[in-house]
């Protein structure tokens, strides 16, 4: 089979997995506020969240957007790309707010109330979880469409790689 998504699928899965685990951490931090949180964890997440999200977006663009013709009609592709761009922009905005909240927590001088910090963290983690689920479903749909085009069954292992 010609690989529909050459290279990078494992890296994208690793990014999604790491983002999901970070969503768990962000929600745990939000749940424990106003109690003290680990400053080193907040610093690490604040420093690495932006680059992780940028790498995830780069891989999604390369692997998913390039394969959209397999799962969408030509007239729908432009709209899907616009929608994906809007989602990425919203994710970046929510990430910046979460980064600012984490930076304030780590410095011990957040200008936000504990409730507002928790809300900033949840405004990133909740939508991020939903978006990753959608991305994984799109990957599954792309693999199914590629297999159908080649008239071969999709192996169960390929669907597991997509988190489905």
């Amino acid at each position: 089979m010609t690989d529909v998504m050459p290279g990078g699928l494992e890296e994208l899965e690793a990014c999604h997995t790491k983002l999901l685990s970070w969503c768990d951490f962000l929600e745990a931090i939000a749940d424990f506020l106003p109690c003290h949180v680990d400053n080193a964890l907040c610093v690490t997440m604040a420093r690495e969240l932006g680059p992780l999200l940028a790498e995830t977006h780069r891989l999604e663009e390369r692997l998913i957007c390039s394969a959209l013709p397999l799962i969408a009609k030509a007239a729908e592709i432009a709209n899907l790309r616009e929608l994906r761009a809007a989602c990425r922009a919203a994710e970046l905005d929510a990430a910046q707010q979460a980064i600012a909240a984490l930076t304030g927590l780590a410095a011990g001088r957040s200008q936000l109330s504990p409730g507002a910090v928790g809300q900033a963290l949840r405004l990133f983690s909740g939508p991020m979880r939903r978006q990753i689920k959608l991305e994984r479903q799109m990957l599954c749909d792309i693999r199914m469409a590629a297999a159908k085009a080649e008239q071969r069954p999709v192996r169960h292992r390929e669907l597991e790689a997509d988190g489905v």
Side-chain angles (χ1 to χ4, degrees):
M1 170 177 135
T2 304
D3 195 355
V4 182
M5 297 170 283
L9 194 56
E10 296 81 18
E11 294 92 334
L12 179 58
E13 179 60 29
C15 287
H16 282 165
T17 299
K18 189 169 186 177
L19 279 169
L20 289 171
S21 69
W22 282 26
C23 288
D24 291 340
F25 282 125
L26 293 172
E27 289 169 0
I29 291 169
D31 289 345
F32 283 105
L33 292 174
C35 295
H36 177 74
V37 295
D38 185 326
N39 291 347
L41 176 63
C42 290
V43 168
T44 299
M45 293 184 82
R47 182 182 62 242
E48 295 180 13
L49 184 57
L52 175 60
L53 192 56
E55 177 66 5
T56 303
H57 287 168
R58 185 188 67 76
L59 289 167
E60 288 171 350
E61 183 69 23
R62 185 167 61 89
L63 298 173
I64 296 173
C65 288
S66 64
L68 284 177
L70 290 171
I71 60 171
K73 296 177 182 164
E76 299 171 327
I77 292 175
N79 288 339
L80 282 172
R81 287 194 171 126
E82 285 180 30
L83 179 61
R84 292 177 58 76
C87 287
R88 283 191 302 273
E91 289 170 3
L92 288 172
D93 183 53
Q96 289 303 320
Q97 292 178 30
I99 289 167
L102 289 166
T103 302
L105 282 175
R109 53 176 166 73
S110 179
Q111 296 179 354
L112 302 173
S113 70
V117 170
Q119 184 68 12
L121 301 179
R122 286 188 177 94
L123 284 174
F124 174 79
S125 62
M128 180 54 57
R129 287 181 189 284
R130 288 188 295 278
Q131 188 62 30
I132 290 171
K133 183 177 179 179
L134 289 171
E135 298 294 338
R136 287 178 169 178
Q137 184 59 53
M138 288 181 82
L139 287 168
C140 179
D141 292 348
I142 289 166
R143 285 187 179 240
M144 295 290 284
K148 185 177 178 183
E150 293 186 7
Q151 297 190 0
R152 69 162 187 84
V154 175
R155 297 182 312 238
H156 180 68
R157 185 174 176 177
E158 290 176 330
L159 294 177
E160 286 176 350
D162 294 333
V164 176

